[in-house]
Amino acid sequence: MSTTQLTLAEIFSIAQDALTQAGANKENADAVANTVMRAERDGSHSHGLFRIPGYAASLQSGKVNGNADPKLHSRTAVALHCDGDLGYAPLAHQRCLESLAEAAHENGVAVLSITRTHHFAALWPETEALAERGLTAISCVSYMPSVAPFGAAKPLYGTNPLSFAWPRPDAPPLVFDMATAAMAMGDVQIAARDDRPVPLGTGLDENGEPTTAPAEIIKGMLLPFGGHKGSHIAMMIELLAGPLVGETASFASKERDNGDGGPPQGGQFILAMSPEILSGGVWQAQSKEFLKRLGALDGVRLPAERRYRNRHDKGPREINNALLDKISASSR
Ligand code: NDP
Ligand code: PYC
């Protein structure tokens, strides 16, 4: 695999140029490019530059509004809603997360529902930002049918990621962010591009037969992680990020989609909680001791440790040349 070394500033610029050429205004392009750059910085490769051809395709097809003007309003003191104006999610986050944090600090808990948005990124930027403001946060989005519910051989669930973040006063937030599919679709696509098999149990081919060939899984379906238990979490996400917030579940998001290769229109659920208010001020000592014991166990590594380690490296990143060619072609 041939690669080129690019600085984080160059990565931002490549993303920004591609999005602008595909029709996004500066504010929308910068918000997405920043998310893409941070994904590459942290080593979230399947949600960095890899996503630019899809982002560009949906701007060019007119499905996504490159001039989106997402707007926040409060339905109640703790139920905030953002109309994404059919744009990409990062600008909605940029505009709304601060108000969500304020509402949670004031009331102990607050929920942000985002509708008419297109989410094509990792979820950790949203939950991590809230935990940096002293809150614990949970977020999820659905996608398009790609995962067969446990027991079925037909996709209905999206790859439906779930992210959780916990604030640590003397350390960066504890964060996990994971697809509820056995493997994120982005990673299956990268394995197909690089001609690598994936582990048995990742997915099934079109006939419902187990396979390790990523291209067959893309034509067929992924499996949920953790059997029936992971399947139920994927089901919960369909309901939280769809009907609960006033948006569609994955099957209906796909029916409305134009198939341009970018993300479908859907919703996002973000819950923010103040440990200070909910615990009556005693949360820090308990959580510190718990996390100390967890981290001290042989064989355990805390989620986000890998990302934070990558983040400390300020040097250039190795980017796949075939991907760079694809990005140049996609924004022409
Ligand atoms: P991974 O399986 O790579 O990681 C899931 C979580 O577990 C991460 O927090 C990771 O931390 C942690 N982790 C990984 N390996 C270990 C280990 N050995 N021990 C302890 N913790 C570990 O993530 P996925 O492949 O499932 O998801 C990748 C990304 O795809 C996510 O960011 C998700 O948001 C995104 N996605 C987005 C979708 C969308 O619709 N927008 C749909 C599906 C996925 P660390 O990061 O430090 O490795
Ligand atoms: O990797 O499954 C995935 C995914 C879907 C939408 C964005 N990422």
PDB file of all heavy atoms in Angstrom, residues 46-47 119-124 141-143 159-161 175-179 184 187 301-307, ligand 1:
ATOM      1  N   SER A  46     -11.331   5.018   9.668  1.00  0.00           N
ATOM      2  CA  SER A  46     -12.518   4.748   8.846  1.00  0.00           C
ATOM      3  C   SER A  46     -13.481   5.938   8.862  1.00  0.00           C
ATOM      4  O   SER A  46     -14.467   5.940   8.124  1.00  0.00           O
ATOM      5  CB  SER A  46     -13.228   3.479   9.332  1.00  0.00           C
ATOM      6  OG  SER A  46     -13.605   3.599  10.689  1.00  0.00           O
ATOM      7  N   HIS A  47     -13.215   6.959   9.696  1.00  0.00           N
ATOM      8  CA  HIS A  47     -14.109   8.126   9.740  1.00  0.00           C
ATOM      9  C   HIS A  47     -13.366   9.436   9.550  1.00  0.00           C
ATOM     10  O   HIS A  47     -13.839  10.492   9.953  1.00  0.00           O
ATOM     11  CB  HIS A  47     -14.954   8.087  11.019  1.00  0.00           C
ATOM     12  CG  HIS A  47     -15.939   6.972  10.936  1.00  0.00           C
ATOM     13  ND1 HIS A  47     -15.588   5.651  11.193  1.00  0.00           N
ATOM     14  CD2 HIS A  47     -17.221   6.941  10.510  1.00  0.00           C
ATOM     15  CE1 HIS A  47     -16.622   4.877  10.963  1.00  0.00           C
ATOM     16  NE2 HIS A  47     -17.630   5.623  10.549  1.00  0.00           N
ATOM     17  N   HIS A 119     -25.245  12.197   9.439  1.00  0.00           N
ATOM     18  CA  HIS A 119     -24.098  11.905  10.300  1.00  0.00           C
ATOM     19  C   HIS A 119     -23.232  10.852   9.621  1.00  0.00           C
ATOM     20  O   HIS A 119     -23.683   9.746   9.377  1.00  0.00           O
ATOM     21  CB  HIS A 119     -24.591  11.392  11.659  1.00  0.00           C
ATOM     22  CG  HIS A 119     -23.571  11.534  12.745  1.00  0.00           C
ATOM     23  ND1 HIS A 119     -22.355  10.889  12.717  1.00  0.00           N
ATOM     24  CD2 HIS A 119     -23.575  12.265  13.893  1.00  0.00           C
ATOM     25  CE1 HIS A 119     -21.660  11.211  13.796  1.00  0.00           C
ATOM     26  NE2 HIS A 119     -22.383  12.043  14.537  1.00  0.00           N
ATOM     27  N   PHE A 120     -21.954  11.206   9.359  1.00  0.00           N
ATOM     28  CA  PHE A 120     -21.078  10.276   8.632  1.00  0.00           C
ATOM     29  C   PHE A 120     -19.745  10.128   9.382  1.00  0.00           C
ATOM     30  O   PHE A 120     -18.765   9.704   8.798  1.00  0.00           O
ATOM     31  CB  PHE A 120     -20.813  10.849   7.240  1.00  0.00           C
ATOM     32  CG  PHE A 120     -20.638   9.818   6.146  1.00  0.00           C
ATOM     33  CD1 PHE A 120     -21.252   8.579   6.199  1.00  0.00           C
ATOM     34  CD2 PHE A 120     -19.865  10.111   5.028  1.00  0.00           C
ATOM     35  CE1 PHE A 120     -21.112   7.649   5.175  1.00  0.00           C
ATOM     36  CE2 PHE A 120     -19.711   9.192   3.985  1.00  0.00           C
ATOM     37  CZ  PHE A 120     -20.336   7.957   4.070  1.00  0.00           C
ATOM     38  N   ALA A 121     -19.750  10.494  10.662  1.00  0.00           N
ATOM     39  CA  ALA A 121     -18.492  10.612  11.398  1.00  0.00           C
ATOM     40  C   ALA A 121     -18.487   9.678  12.600  1.00  0.00           C
ATOM     41  O   ALA A 121     -19.458   8.974  12.870  1.00  0.00           O
ATOM     42  CB  ALA A 121     -18.336  12.055  11.865  1.00  0.00           C
ATOM     43  N   ALA A 122     -17.374   9.708  13.345  1.00  0.00           N
ATOM     44  CA  ALA A 122     -17.332   9.055  14.659  1.00  0.00           C
ATOM     45  C   ALA A 122     -18.175   9.882  15.627  1.00  0.00           C
ATOM     46  O   ALA A 122     -18.388  11.082  15.416  1.00  0.00           O
ATOM     47  CB  ALA A 122     -15.887   8.986  15.137  1.00  0.00           C
ATOM     48  N   LEU A 123     -18.615   9.238  16.712  1.00  0.00           N
ATOM     49  CA  LEU A 123     -19.462   9.943  17.688  1.00  0.00           C
ATOM     50  C   LEU A 123     -18.687  10.535  18.864  1.00  0.00           C
ATOM     51  O   LEU A 123     -19.229  11.337  19.610  1.00  0.00           O
ATOM     52  CB  LEU A 123     -20.503   8.966  18.255  1.00  0.00           C
ATOM     53  CG  LEU A 123     -21.914   9.091  17.721  1.00  0.00           C
ATOM     54  CD1 LEU A 123     -21.965   8.564  16.296  1.00  0.00           C
ATOM     55  CD2 LEU A 123     -22.868   8.279  18.571  1.00  0.00           C
ATOM     56  N   TRP A 124     -17.428  10.074  19.041  1.00  0.00           N
ATOM     57  CA  TRP A 124     -16.716  10.541  20.237  1.00  0.00           C
ATOM     58  C   TRP A 124     -16.554  12.057  20.308  1.00  0.00           C
ATOM     59  O   TRP A 124     -16.532  12.600  21.420  1.00  0.00           O
ATOM     60  CB  TRP A 124     -15.373   9.812  20.411  1.00  0.00           C
ATOM     61  CG  TRP A 124     -14.402   9.913  19.258  1.00  0.00           C
ATOM     62  CD1 TRP A 124     -14.149   8.967  18.320  1.00  0.00           C
ATOM     63  CD2 TRP A 124     -13.545  11.017  18.939  1.00  0.00           C
ATOM     64  NE1 TRP A 124     -13.196   9.410  17.424  1.00  0.00           N
ATOM     65  CE2 TRP A 124     -12.810  10.663  17.787  1.00  0.00           C
ATOM     66  CE3 TRP A 124     -13.316  12.277  19.507  1.00  0.00           C
ATOM     67  CZ2 TRP A 124     -11.875  11.514  17.195  1.00  0.00           C
ATOM     68  CZ3 TRP A 124     -12.385  13.139  18.917  1.00  0.00           C
ATOM     69  CH2 TRP A 124     -11.684  12.747  17.779  1.00  0.00           C
ATOM     70  N   VAL A 141     -26.595   7.292  16.901  1.00  0.00           N
ATOM     71  CA  VAL A 141     -27.256   7.574  15.611  1.00  0.00           C
ATOM     72  C   VAL A 141     -27.526   6.235  14.920  1.00  0.00           C
ATOM     73  O   VAL A 141     -26.825   5.251  15.169  1.00  0.00           O
ATOM     74  CB  VAL A 141     -26.401   8.446  14.642  1.00  0.00           C
ATOM     75  CG1 VAL A 141     -26.166   9.832  15.181  1.00  0.00           C
ATOM     76  CG2 VAL A 141     -25.074   7.791  14.309  1.00  0.00           C
ATOM     77  N   SER A 142     -28.520   6.215  14.049  1.00  0.00           N
ATOM     78  CA  SER A 142     -28.721   5.011  13.232  1.00  0.00           C
ATOM     79  C   SER A 142     -28.172   5.293  11.830  1.00  0.00           C
ATOM     80  O   SER A 142     -27.529   6.306  11.595  1.00  0.00           O
ATOM     81  CB  SER A 142     -30.190   4.584  13.226  1.00  0.00           C
ATOM     82  OG  SER A 142     -31.013   5.612  12.752  1.00  0.00           O
ATOM     83  N   TYR A 143     -28.413   4.394  10.888  1.00  0.00           N
ATOM     84  CA  TYR A 143     -27.760   4.548   9.570  1.00  0.00           C
ATOM     85  C   TYR A 143     -28.715   4.050   8.490  1.00  0.00           C
ATOM     86  O   TYR A 143     -29.819   4.589   8.345  1.00  0.00           O
ATOM     87  CB  TYR A 143     -26.426   3.784   9.604  1.00  0.00           C
ATOM     88  CG  TYR A 143     -25.624   3.796   8.328  1.00  0.00           C
ATOM     89  CD1 TYR A 143     -25.324   4.987   7.679  1.00  0.00           C
ATOM     90  CD2 TYR A 143     -25.149   2.602   7.781  1.00  0.00           C
ATOM     91  CE1 TYR A 143     -24.577   4.981   6.503  1.00  0.00           C
ATOM     92  CE2 TYR A 143     -24.388   2.588   6.622  1.00  0.00           C
ATOM     93  CZ  TYR A 143     -24.121   3.783   5.979  1.00  0.00           C
ATOM     94  OH  TYR A 143     -23.400   3.774   4.830  1.00  0.00           O
ATOM     95  N   THR A 159     -25.458   0.273  11.332  1.00  0.00           N
ATOM     96  CA  THR A 159     -24.289  -0.114  12.124  1.00  0.00           C
ATOM     97  C   THR A 159     -24.300   0.618  13.474  1.00  0.00           C
ATOM     98  O   THR A 159     -23.458   0.357  14.338  1.00  0.00           O
ATOM     99  CB  THR A 159     -22.982   0.149  11.349  1.00  0.00           C
ATOM    100  OG1 THR A 159     -23.083   1.432  10.712  1.00  0.00           O
ATOM    101  CG2 THR A 159     -22.758  -0.890  10.283  1.00  0.00           C
ATOM    102  N   ASN A 160     -25.235   1.523  13.638  1.00  0.00           N
ATOM    103  CA  ASN A 160     -25.702   2.123  14.896  1.00  0.00           C
ATOM    104  C   ASN A 160     -24.674   2.290  16.013  1.00  0.00           C
ATOM    105  O   ASN A 160     -24.694   1.525  16.992  1.00  0.00           O
ATOM    106  CB  ASN A 160     -26.893   1.303  15.402  1.00  0.00           C
ATOM    107  CG  ASN A 160     -28.072   1.363  14.459  1.00  0.00           C
ATOM    108  OD1 ASN A 160     -27.953   1.905  13.366  1.00  0.00           O
ATOM    109  ND2 ASN A 160     -29.208   0.830  14.870  1.00  0.00           N
ATOM    110  N   PRO A 161     -23.816   3.305  15.925  1.00  0.00           N
ATOM    111  CA  PRO A 161     -22.826   3.490  16.975  1.00  0.00           C
ATOM    112  C   PRO A 161     -23.417   4.065  18.255  1.00  0.00           C
ATOM    113  O   PRO A 161     -24.428   4.777  18.233  1.00  0.00           O
ATOM    114  CB  PRO A 161     -21.849   4.493  16.354  1.00  0.00           C
ATOM    115  CG  PRO A 161     -22.686   5.268  15.401  1.00  0.00           C
ATOM    116  CD  PRO A 161     -23.709   4.317  14.864  1.00  0.00           C
ATOM    117  N   VAL A 175     -13.849   7.644  27.446  1.00  0.00           N
ATOM    118  CA  VAL A 175     -14.829   7.623  26.346  1.00  0.00           C
ATOM    119  C   VAL A 175     -14.814   6.265  25.670  1.00  0.00           C
ATOM    120  O   VAL A 175     -13.725   5.748  25.394  1.00  0.00           O
ATOM    121  CB  VAL A 175     -14.469   8.672  25.257  1.00  0.00           C
ATOM    122  CG1 VAL A 175     -15.519   8.683  24.143  1.00  0.00           C
ATOM    123  CG2 VAL A 175     -14.329  10.063  25.839  1.00  0.00           C
ATOM    124  N   PHE A 176     -15.991   5.706  25.421  1.00  0.00           N
ATOM    125  CA  PHE A 176     -16.003   4.633  24.421  1.00  0.00           C
ATOM    126  C   PHE A 176     -16.933   5.039  23.297  1.00  0.00           C
ATOM    127  O   PHE A 176     -17.881   5.797  23.485  1.00  0.00           O
ATOM    128  CB  PHE A 176     -16.309   3.244  25.001  1.00  0.00           C
ATOM    129  CG  PHE A 176     -17.766   2.940  25.310  1.00  0.00           C
ATOM    130  CD1 PHE A 176     -18.710   2.745  24.302  1.00  0.00           C
ATOM    131  CD2 PHE A 176     -18.174   2.815  26.625  1.00  0.00           C
ATOM    132  CE1 PHE A 176     -20.034   2.444  24.600  1.00  0.00           C
ATOM    133  CE2 PHE A 176     -19.503   2.519  26.938  1.00  0.00           C
ATOM    134  CZ  PHE A 176     -20.435   2.339  25.915  1.00  0.00           C
ATOM    135  N   ASP A 177     -16.632   4.541  22.132  1.00  0.00           N
ATOM    136  CA  ASP A 177     -17.408   4.869  20.929  1.00  0.00           C
ATOM    137  C   ASP A 177     -17.325   3.649  20.023  1.00  0.00           C
ATOM    138  O   ASP A 177     -16.245   3.306  19.543  1.00  0.00           O
ATOM    139  CB  ASP A 177     -16.787   6.093  20.251  1.00  0.00           C
ATOM    140  CG  ASP A 177     -17.506   6.446  18.962  1.00  0.00           C
ATOM    141  OD1 ASP A 177     -18.651   6.015  18.774  1.00  0.00           O
ATOM    142  OD2 ASP A 177     -16.898   7.168  18.136  1.00  0.00           O
ATOM    143  N   MET A 178     -18.443   2.980  19.819  1.00  0.00           N
ATOM    144  CA  MET A 178     -18.395   1.707  19.088  1.00  0.00           C
ATOM    145  C   MET A 178     -19.630   1.478  18.230  1.00  0.00           C
ATOM    146  O   MET A 178     -20.747   1.806  18.627  1.00  0.00           O
ATOM    147  CB  MET A 178     -18.284   0.559  20.093  1.00  0.00           C
ATOM    148  CG  MET A 178     -19.362   0.595  21.166  1.00  0.00           C
ATOM    149  SD  MET A 178     -19.305  -0.829  22.214  1.00  0.00           S
ATOM    150  CE  MET A 178     -21.019  -1.362  22.127  1.00  0.00           C
ATOM    151  N   ALA A 179     -19.409   0.909  17.063  1.00  0.00           N
ATOM    152  CA  ALA A 179     -20.529   0.427  16.257  1.00  0.00           C
ATOM    153  C   ALA A 179     -21.161  -0.739  17.010  1.00  0.00           C
ATOM    154  O   ALA A 179     -20.475  -1.460  17.742  1.00  0.00           O
ATOM    155  CB  ALA A 179     -20.006  -0.053  14.901  1.00  0.00           C
ATOM    156  N   ALA A 184     -17.528  -1.975  12.121  1.00  0.00           N
ATOM    157  CA  ALA A 184     -18.109  -0.813  11.434  1.00  0.00           C
ATOM    158  C   ALA A 184     -18.031  -1.051   9.926  1.00  0.00           C
ATOM    159  O   ALA A 184     -17.069  -1.662   9.439  1.00  0.00           O
ATOM    160  CB  ALA A 184     -17.348   0.450  11.815  1.00  0.00           C
ATOM    161  N   ASP A 187     -14.790  -0.038   8.266  1.00  0.00           N
ATOM    162  CA  ASP A 187     -13.658  -0.958   8.382  1.00  0.00           C
ATOM    163  C   ASP A 187     -13.805  -2.154   7.445  1.00  0.00           C
ATOM    164  O   ASP A 187     -12.811  -2.672   6.928  1.00  0.00           O
ATOM    165  CB  ASP A 187     -13.490  -1.408   9.838  1.00  0.00           C
ATOM    166  CG  ASP A 187     -12.917  -0.288  10.694  1.00  0.00           C
ATOM    167  OD1 ASP A 187     -11.972   0.377  10.239  1.00  0.00           O
ATOM    168  OD2 ASP A 187     -13.442  -0.058  11.798  1.00  0.00           O
ATOM    169  N   ARG A 301      -7.102  -2.266  29.124  1.00  0.00           N
ATOM    170  CA  ARG A 301      -6.752  -0.912  28.698  1.00  0.00           C
ATOM    171  C   ARG A 301      -8.052  -0.129  28.616  1.00  0.00           C
ATOM    172  O   ARG A 301      -9.091  -0.649  28.189  1.00  0.00           O
ATOM    173  CB  ARG A 301      -5.964  -0.913  27.396  1.00  0.00           C
ATOM    174  CG  ARG A 301      -6.784  -0.979  26.124  1.00  0.00           C
ATOM    175  CD  ARG A 301      -6.323   0.135  25.164  1.00  0.00           C
ATOM    176  NE  ARG A 301      -6.678  -0.122  23.774  1.00  0.00           N
ATOM    177  CZ  ARG A 301      -7.604   0.598  23.145  1.00  0.00           C
ATOM    178  NH1 ARG A 301      -8.290   1.517  23.774  1.00  0.00           N
ATOM    179  NH2 ARG A 301      -7.853   0.355  21.869  1.00  0.00           N
ATOM    180  N   LEU A 302      -8.032   1.105  29.058  1.00  0.00           N
ATOM    181  CA  LEU A 302      -9.265   1.886  29.069  1.00  0.00           C
ATOM    182  C   LEU A 302      -9.570   2.372  27.662  1.00  0.00           C
ATOM    183  O   LEU A 302      -8.654   2.709  26.895  1.00  0.00           O
ATOM    184  CB  LEU A 302      -9.135   3.067  30.026  1.00  0.00           C
ATOM    185  CG  LEU A 302      -8.925   2.699  31.494  1.00  0.00           C
ATOM    186  CD1 LEU A 302      -8.814   3.956  32.355  1.00  0.00           C
ATOM    187  CD2 LEU A 302     -10.060   1.811  32.016  1.00  0.00           C
ATOM    188  N   PRO A 303     -10.877   2.436  27.290  1.00  0.00           N
ATOM    189  CA  PRO A 303     -11.215   2.960  25.972  1.00  0.00           C
ATOM    190  C   PRO A 303     -10.768   4.411  25.867  1.00  0.00           C
ATOM    191  O   PRO A 303     -10.770   5.140  26.860  1.00  0.00           O
ATOM    192  CB  PRO A 303     -12.744   2.834  25.923  1.00  0.00           C
ATOM    193  CG  PRO A 303     -13.188   2.769  27.345  1.00  0.00           C
ATOM    194  CD  PRO A 303     -12.069   2.103  28.094  1.00  0.00           C
ATOM    195  N   ALA A 304     -10.412   4.807  24.664  1.00  0.00           N
ATOM    196  CA  ALA A 304      -9.894   6.141  24.307  1.00  0.00           C
ATOM    197  C   ALA A 304      -8.393   6.278  24.569  1.00  0.00           C
ATOM    198  O   ALA A 304      -7.786   7.237  24.111  1.00  0.00           O
ATOM    199  CB  ALA A 304     -10.658   7.289  24.981  1.00  0.00           C
ATOM    200  N   GLU A 305      -7.796   5.313  25.272  1.00  0.00           N
ATOM    201  CA  GLU A 305      -6.339   5.410  25.514  1.00  0.00           C
ATOM    202  C   GLU A 305      -5.554   5.424  24.208  1.00  0.00           C
ATOM    203  O   GLU A 305      -4.600   6.186  24.066  1.00  0.00           O
ATOM    204  CB  GLU A 305      -5.869   4.216  26.347  1.00  0.00           C
ATOM    205  CG  GLU A 305      -5.795   4.528  27.821  1.00  0.00           C
ATOM    206  CD  GLU A 305      -5.335   3.334  28.645  1.00  0.00           C
ATOM    207  OE1 GLU A 305      -4.714   2.396  28.086  1.00  0.00           O
ATOM    208  OE2 GLU A 305      -5.624   3.338  29.839  1.00  0.00           O
ATOM    209  N   ARG A 306      -5.977   4.573  23.270  1.00  0.00           N
ATOM    210  CA  ARG A 306      -5.283   4.516  21.970  1.00  0.00           C
ATOM    211  C   ARG A 306      -5.411   5.867  21.251  1.00  0.00           C
ATOM    212  O   ARG A 306      -4.444   6.421  20.735  1.00  0.00           O
ATOM    213  CB  ARG A 306      -5.891   3.398  21.100  1.00  0.00           C
ATOM    214  CG  ARG A 306      -5.296   3.243  19.713  1.00  0.00           C
ATOM    215  CD  ARG A 306      -6.210   2.399  18.830  1.00  0.00           C
ATOM    216  NE  ARG A 306      -7.513   3.016  18.641  1.00  0.00           N
ATOM    217  CZ  ARG A 306      -7.821   3.841  17.653  1.00  0.00           C
ATOM    218  NH1 ARG A 306      -6.924   4.122  16.739  1.00  0.00           N
ATOM    219  NH2 ARG A 306      -9.020   4.385  17.563  1.00  0.00           N
ATOM    220  N   ARG A 307      -6.639   6.408  21.258  1.00  0.00           N
ATOM    221  CA  ARG A 307      -6.850   7.693  20.569  1.00  0.00           C
ATOM    222  C   ARG A 307      -6.015   8.802  21.206  1.00  0.00           C
ATOM    223  O   ARG A 307      -5.393   9.609  20.510  1.00  0.00           O
ATOM    224  CB  ARG A 307      -8.330   8.087  20.611  1.00  0.00           C
ATOM    225  CG  ARG A 307      -9.196   7.346  19.625  1.00  0.00           C
ATOM    226  CD  ARG A 307     -10.539   8.035  19.418  1.00  0.00           C
ATOM    227  NE  ARG A 307     -11.307   8.228  20.621  1.00  0.00           N
ATOM    228  CZ  ARG A 307     -11.464   9.405  21.244  1.00  0.00           C
ATOM    229  NH1 ARG A 307     -10.919  10.505  20.754  1.00  0.00           N
ATOM    230  NH2 ARG A 307     -12.195   9.492  22.345  1.00  0.00           N
TER     231      ARG A 307
HETATM  232  P1  NDP B   1     -13.664  -0.096  17.866  1.00  0.00           P
HETATM  233  O1  NDP B   1     -14.132  -1.490  17.960  1.00  0.00           O
HETATM  234  O2  NDP B   1     -12.359   0.155  17.208  1.00  0.00           O
HETATM  235  O3  NDP B   1     -13.549   0.533  19.327  1.00  0.00           O
HETATM  236  C1  NDP B   1     -14.678   0.629  20.149  1.00  0.00           C
HETATM  237  C2  NDP B   1     -14.273   1.224  21.483  1.00  0.00           C
HETATM  238  O4  NDP B   1     -13.527   0.265  22.230  1.00  0.00           O
HETATM  239  C3  NDP B   1     -13.387   2.450  21.361  1.00  0.00           C
HETATM  240  O5  NDP B   1     -13.743   3.357  22.360  1.00  0.00           O
HETATM  241  C4  NDP B   1     -11.982   1.899  21.566  1.00  0.00           C
HETATM  242  O6  NDP B   1     -11.080   2.847  22.133  1.00  0.00           O
HETATM  243  C5  NDP B   1     -12.226   0.747  22.507  1.00  0.00           C
HETATM  244  N1  NDP B   1     -11.317  -0.351  22.297  1.00  0.00           N
HETATM  245  C6  NDP B   1     -10.889  -0.878  21.114  1.00  0.00           C
HETATM  246  N2  NDP B   1     -10.083  -1.923  21.340  1.00  0.00           N
HETATM  247  C7  NDP B   1      -9.969  -2.052  22.692  1.00  0.00           C
HETATM  248  C8  NDP B   1      -9.244  -2.940  23.557  1.00  0.00           C
HETATM  249  N3  NDP B   1      -8.494  -3.886  23.067  1.00  0.00           N
HETATM  250  N4  NDP B   1      -9.384  -2.764  24.893  1.00  0.00           N
HETATM  251  C9  NDP B   1     -10.167  -1.782  25.385  1.00  0.00           C
HETATM  252  N5  NDP B   1     -10.865  -0.913  24.631  1.00  0.00           N
HETATM  253  C10 NDP B   1     -10.761  -1.058  23.301  1.00  0.00           C
HETATM  254  O7  NDP B   1     -14.793   0.843  17.213  1.00  0.00           O
HETATM  255  P2  NDP B   1     -15.773   0.481  16.013  1.00  0.00           P
HETATM  256  O8  NDP B   1     -14.945  -0.089  14.925  1.00  0.00           O
HETATM  257  O9  NDP B   1     -16.925  -0.295  16.512  1.00  0.00           O
HETATM  258  O10 NDP B   1     -16.299   1.929  15.591  1.00  0.00           O
HETATM  259  C11 NDP B   1     -15.432   2.800  14.896  1.00  0.00           C
HETATM  260  C12 NDP B   1     -16.069   4.137  14.689  1.00  0.00           C
HETATM  261  O11 NDP B   1     -17.098   4.066  13.728  1.00  0.00           O
HETATM  262  C13 NDP B   1     -16.706   4.784  15.919  1.00  0.00           C
HETATM  263  O12 NDP B   1     -16.044   6.022  16.121  1.00  0.00           O
HETATM  264  C14 NDP B   1     -18.154   5.002  15.519  1.00  0.00           C
HETATM  265  O13 NDP B   1     -18.730   6.201  16.029  1.00  0.00           O
HETATM  266  C15 NDP B   1     -18.046   5.046  14.013  1.00  0.00           C
HETATM  267  N6  NDP B   1     -19.326   4.725  13.372  1.00  0.00           N
HETATM  268  C16 NDP B   1     -20.103   5.739  12.914  1.00  0.00           C
HETATM  269  C17 NDP B   1     -21.331   5.463  12.328  1.00  0.00           C
HETATM  270  C18 NDP B   1     -22.233   6.568  11.883  1.00  0.00           C
HETATM  271  O14 NDP B   1     -23.329   6.262  11.427  1.00  0.00           O
HETATM  272  N7  NDP B   1     -21.858   7.812  11.980  1.00  0.00           N
HETATM  273  C19 NDP B   1     -21.795   4.087  12.159  1.00  0.00           C
HETATM  274  C20 NDP B   1     -20.911   3.101  12.705  1.00  0.00           C
HETATM  275  C21 NDP B   1     -19.710   3.419  13.281  1.00  0.00           C
HETATM  276  P3  NDP B   1      -9.958   3.525  21.184  1.00  0.00           P
HETATM  277  O15 NDP B   1     -10.699   4.470  20.293  1.00  0.00           O
HETATM  278  O16 NDP B   1      -9.006   4.194  22.110  1.00  0.00           O
HETATM  279  O17 NDP B   1      -9.319   2.404  20.409  1.00  0.00           O
END
